[in-house]
């Protein structure tokens, strides 16, 4: 019996050591966690324990918050509902605004789980301070909104004048666009020159690249060289600052009112729509993309035009939609107003997955 008692005492001592070791590990994890941790009573939502990170973030000592209700720390009244939702979803992380001891509000992201601890059910909520992250996100949204406004302000307006009517579409997939277009009268008003740009991507960096291309393209209006040579110069120039992941499609054109010739140089844009004697419907084009290889595989195309003809230059966002939906059988491309209206309706579809831009031209009667 003595040996059995001694053995039982040794086992009890061993179990106590194991328990104490586990308890110490738990304490170390709780105290040293990089996230703030609050242990809450699962019935009354009162704070039982907090870790060092919580004290650092919130500015409280543990004795100042123990047995406070969690709602005493949260600015929002729905903190308990948010905790219950976090428990129900398990891995879901949610945001709340807490008030520090100094009265300053901070934004925290937290999750919660329910565990059995010391014979009772408790809620363990972990959270981290994301105030600066939220501030930066808000600043970024503001910058993107400003960039979108600037980008749109640089676009040319619709036009009804002498030889041509011009209508445009500009529908970014997000706030800023990888598309851009421009047109201007050159050579004393005898030529309408312009271009459409479609840079891969949708973000702020892409919008900056379209702006750079826009500046370069407007420089070409002053060059006394063939249009195809200007496009080659553009490609050589953008190769200097495009990254390996960056490329662009572009279609440049010149409409000569004296010769009634439309000259085109497409790079990457695979087609446009027209109602002319030289072509009806979708006119296929090609050419290698800008910014990938030093030497472009491109060609200069020419089409005779006359009064009443219509041309519809579009980016891939519209071309892809037309490929999926098709042109309505009843749509007459020579009916400029009706066709422009149809394109405007098309780009509003919920199935659009890209930036969509269009530059539409009608030759007017002299």
């Amino acid at each position: 019996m003595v040996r059995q008692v001694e053995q039982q005492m040794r086992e009890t001592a061993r179990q106590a050591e194991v328990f104490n070791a586990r308890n110490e590990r738990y304490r170390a994890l709780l105290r040293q966690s990089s996230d703030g941790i609050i242990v809450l009573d699962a019935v009354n939502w009162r704070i039982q324990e907090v870790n060092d990170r919580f004290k650092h973030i919130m500015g409280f000592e543990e004795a100042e918050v123990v047995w406070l209700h969690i709602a005493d720390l949260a600015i929002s009244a729905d903190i308990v509902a948010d905790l219950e939702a976090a428990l129900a979803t398990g891995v879901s992380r949610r945001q709340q605004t807490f008030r520090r001891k100094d009265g300053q509000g901070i934004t925290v992201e937290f999750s919660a789980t329910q565990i059995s601890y010391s014979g009772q059910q408790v809620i363990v909520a972990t959270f981290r301070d994301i105030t600066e992250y939220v501030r930066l996100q808000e600043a970024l949204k503001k910058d993107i909104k400003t960039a979108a406004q600037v980008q749109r302000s640089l676009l040319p307006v619709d036009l009804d004048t002498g030889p041509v009517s011009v209508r445009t579409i500009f529908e970014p997939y997000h706030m800023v666009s990888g598309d851009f277009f421009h047109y201007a009268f050159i050579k004393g008003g005898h030529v309408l020159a312009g271009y459409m740009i479609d840079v891969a991507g949708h973000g702020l960096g892409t919008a900056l690249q379209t702006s750079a291309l826009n500046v370069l393209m407007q420089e070409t209006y002053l060059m006394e060289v063939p249009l195809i040579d200007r496009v080659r110069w553009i490609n050589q120039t953008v190769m200097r600052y495009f990254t390996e992941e960056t490329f662009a499609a572009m279609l440049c054109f010149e409409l000569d009112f004296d010769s009634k010739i439309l000259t085109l140089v497409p790079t990457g844009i695979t087609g446009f729509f027209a109602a002319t004697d030289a072509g009806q419907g979708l006119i296929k084009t090609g050419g290698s993309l800008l910014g990938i290889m030093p030497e472009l595989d491109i060609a200069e195309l020419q089409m005779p035009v006359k009064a009443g003809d219509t041309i519809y230059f579009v980016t891939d966002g519209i071309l892809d939609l037309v490929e999926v939906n098709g042109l309505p059988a009843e749509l007459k491309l020579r009916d400029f107003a009706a066709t422009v209206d149809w394109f405007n309706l098309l780009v509003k579809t919920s199935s659009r997955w890209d930036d969509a831009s269009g530059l539409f031209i009608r030759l007017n009667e002299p």
Side-chain angles (χ1 to χ4, degrees):
M1 288 182 61
V2 171
R3 286 196 296 272
Q4 289 179 347
V5 169
E6 290 176 346
Q7 184 177 0
Q8 187 174 17
M9 290 176 62
R10 286 195 294 271
E11 179 63 21
T12 301
R14 188 189 68 81
Q15 291 179 357
E17 289 177 2
V18 170
F19 176 81
N20 289 333
R22 288 176 177 173
N23 193 45
E24 285 302 316
R25 284 197 298 272
Y26 160 76
R27 293 290 175 188
L29 288 171
L30 178 71
R31 298 295 177 186
Q32 299 173 25
S33 171
S34 60
D35 289 340
I37 297 178
I38 308 173
V39 180
L40 300 165
D41 187 287
V43 177
N44 57 30
W45 298 98
R46 293 190 177 278
I47 299 171
Q48 293 186 342
E49 190 174 357
V50 298
N51 71 345
D52 293 341
R53 185 60 181 168
F54 170 88
K55 293 186 289 184
H56 174 78
I57 293 172
M58 297 295 294
F60 289 102
E61 291 301 321
E62 186 170 25
E64 295 175 302
V65 296
V66 167
W67 291 112
L68 285 181
H69 194 280
I70 186 62
D72 294 330
L73 299 180
I75 291 177
S76 304
D78 57 354
I79 178 64
V80 172
D82 272 1
L83 282 165
E84 289 174 339
L87 287 172
T89 55
V91 297
S92 176
R93 297 195 69 88
R94 295 171 176 268
Q95 288 186 17
Q96 261 287 352
T97 305
F98 279 17
R99 194 185 306 280
R100 286 173 42 88
K101 183 178 179 179
D102 59 12
Q104 177 184 349
I106 64 168
T107 304
V108 301
E109 182 183 62
F110 70 88
S111 62
T113 186
Q114 185 167 329
I115 64 173
S116 178
Y117 166 62
S118 297
Q120 61 177 324
Q121 295 296 311
V122 297
I123 308 299
V124 177
T126 63
F127 70 93
R128 61 187 59 184
D129 182 1
I130 60 169
T131 305
E132 184 63 15
Y133 170 79
V134 171
R135 188 191 67 79
L136 290 174
Q137 289 296 307
E138 291 299 320
L140 180 60
K141 288 179 183 178
K142 184 178 179 180
D143 287 346
I144 292 174
K145 184 177 180 179
T146 300
Q149 292 170 343
V150 170
Q151 186 179 49
R152 194 173 288 272
S153 72
L154 295 173
L155 295 169
V157 297
D158 290 356
L159 177 70
D160 283 299
T161 186
V164 291
S165 294
V166 180
R167 299 290 182 269
T168 62
I169 290 176
F170 184 72
E171 291 290 338
Y173 184 64
H174 298 303
M175 292 183 68
V176 292
S177 178
D179 290 357
F180 200 83
F181 54 81
H182 193 267
Y183 67 85
F185 291 97
I186 63 174
K187 298 181 180 179
H190 294 276
V191 174
L192 179 70
Y195 47 87
M196 297 207 70
I197 299 168
D198 184 356
V199 179
H202 308 288
L204 198 55
T206 301
L208 290 172
Q209 288 163 339
T210 64
S211 297
L213 272 172
N214 177 48
V215 171
L216 292 172
M217 281 304 304
Q218 294 198 40
E219 287 186 32
T220 68
Y221 289 157
L222 304 176
M223 295 181 178
E224 295 294 334
V225 295
L227 184 59
I228 192 169
D229 291 334
R230 295 179 226 166
V231 174
R232 290 191 177 112
W233 176 81
I234 288 289
N235 183 64
Q236 291 286 342
T237 305
V238 300
M239 287 288 295
R240 301 172 191 168
Y241 60 86
F242 270 17
T243 64
E244 292 182 359
E245 297 80 19
T246 306
F247 56 87
M250 184 170 67
L251 187 148
C252 301
F253 68 88
E254 286 187 353
L255 176 56
D256 191 311
F257 300 122
D258 296 331
S259 65
K260 299 294 191 297
I261 295 293
L262 174 65
T263 302
L264 305 165
V265 178
T267 65
I269 290 181
T270 57
F272 65 97
F273 301 91
T276 70
D277 291 342
Q280 294 278 339
L282 175 62
I283 310 298
K284 297 279 189 174
T285 60
S288 53
L289 292 158
L290 288 178
I292 296 180
M293 301 293 292
E295 298 298 326
L296 288 174
D297 180 14
I298 56 175
E300 188 175 82
L301 312 175
Q302 291 191 330
M303 292 176 56
V305 292
K306 67 179 189 306
D309 286 352
T310 56
I311 302 103
Y312 306 92
F313 298 123
V314 295
T315 57
D316 282 351
I318 292 180
L319 281 171
D320 292 342
L321 288 174
V322 174
E323 183 178 351
V324 171
N325 297 279
L327 289 172
E330 68 277 9
L331 183 66
K332 306 300 181 186
L333 293 179
R334 283 195 179 275
D335 188 338
F336 190 59
T339 304
V340 170
D341 288 344
W342 182 79
F343 276 121
N344 273 292
L345 288 174
L346 181 67
V347 299
K348 298 297 193 300
T349 177
S350 60
S351 61
R352 180 165 62 89
W353 59 90
D354 198 0
D355 302 318
S357 297
L359 179 59
F360 310 143
I361 302 170
R362 181 185 186 276
L363 278 75
N364 296 329
E365 298 289 343

